[in-house]
Amino acid sequence: MAKTPVELLKLKLQSDDQVVRDIRFYGTDIDPNTSSVDDQFFLTIDGQNVPIKPELAQRLERLRRSFSYDSLSGGIQVGEPGGPMCLMAGPARGMVLETRYLTYENFKITNSEMKPVLTVPQNCLFTSKISPQNATAREDARAALEILFTLSQTLPPGS
């Protein structure tokens, strides 16, 4: 019996408040602590299905584990926008990584929701500051973001 794919990761490339690239990673199991030979993974870029190698999909799934729930991520910190004055003109550009964030109680998933876990500015105008509190979770989130960003470069925007 085939399982319905569920969104696990989403990377949005933004220009001001507009999403200019939308990368989504889907899987058939929301729990990154379990795996099965029946697990399947899918990738879309701007709504278009894109093939993903099973090894790369498994890597994304392993990375997701450390930043997809509080006990390993240490929680998600949201900083206040600000910092030094930026005299740059043009749109604010940045990336936002979202994950299926899980709540466990008594070793069972009791809640899951897509939640921003990491932002990466691409210029000084992008002031959103979101990241996991745990250093390993931050590194793993950054690695997942870089993998998805690199995959997004395989298609020209709007194709």
Side-chain angles (χ1 to χ4, degrees):
M1 182 165 114
K3 296 180 187 177
T4 303
V6 176
E7 187 176 49
L8 301 175
L9 294 170
K10 178 177 9 179
L11 178 61
K12 298 185 292 186
L13 281 58
Q14 290 186 210
S15 180
D16 283 333
D17 291 331
Q18 181 179 3
V19 175
V20 295
R21 182 122 270 192
D22 181 51
I23 303 99
R24 295 174 189 237
F25 177 68
Y26 298 87
T28 52
D29 186 2
I30 65 170
D31 191 344
N33 294 310
T34 62
S35 64
S36 162
V37 294
D38 297 331
D39 288 346
Q40 295 180 1
F41 299 98
F42 310 92
L43 182 74
T44 64
I45 299 174
D46 297 335
Q48 183 177 343
N49 289 328
V50 176
I52 184 169
K53 291 185 177 185
E55 300 81 14
L56 193 52
Q58 288 294 331
R59 171 99 172 110
L60 283 168
E61 182 68 352
R62 284 190 303 275
L63 288 168
R64 182 176 78 89
R65 181 177 186 272
S66 74
F67 58 85
S68 64
Y69 56 96
D70 285 340
S71 66
L72 289 178
S73 72
I76 304 302
Q77 58 189 0
V78 179
E80 291 297 318
M85 178 66 107
C86 178
L87 300 176
M88 187 174 193
R93 295 189 169 276
M95 295 183 270
V96 179
L97 178 67
E98 295 182 16
T99 191
R100 176 140 321 267
Y101 207 76
L102 307 171
T103 303
Y104 283 88
E105 289 178 18
N106 298 322
F107 306 103
K108 292 186 180 184
I109 298 172
T110 58
N111 188 41
S112 77
E113 64 181 316
M114 290 302 289
K115 179 177 181 176
V117 293
L118 182 68
T119 56
V120 175
Q122 292 182 301
N123 67 22
C124 62
L125 295 173
F126 192 80
T127 58
S128 176
K129 298 177 184 176
I130 300 170
S131 69
Q133 291 189 41
N134 177 282
T136 301
R138 262 192 316 275
E139 290 174 23
D140 288 350
R142 182 66 187 238
L145 180 143
E146 292 296 341
I147 290 168
L148 292 172
F149 176 76
T150 300
L151 290 169
S152 78
Q153 300 306 295
T154 61
L155 291 177
S159 58

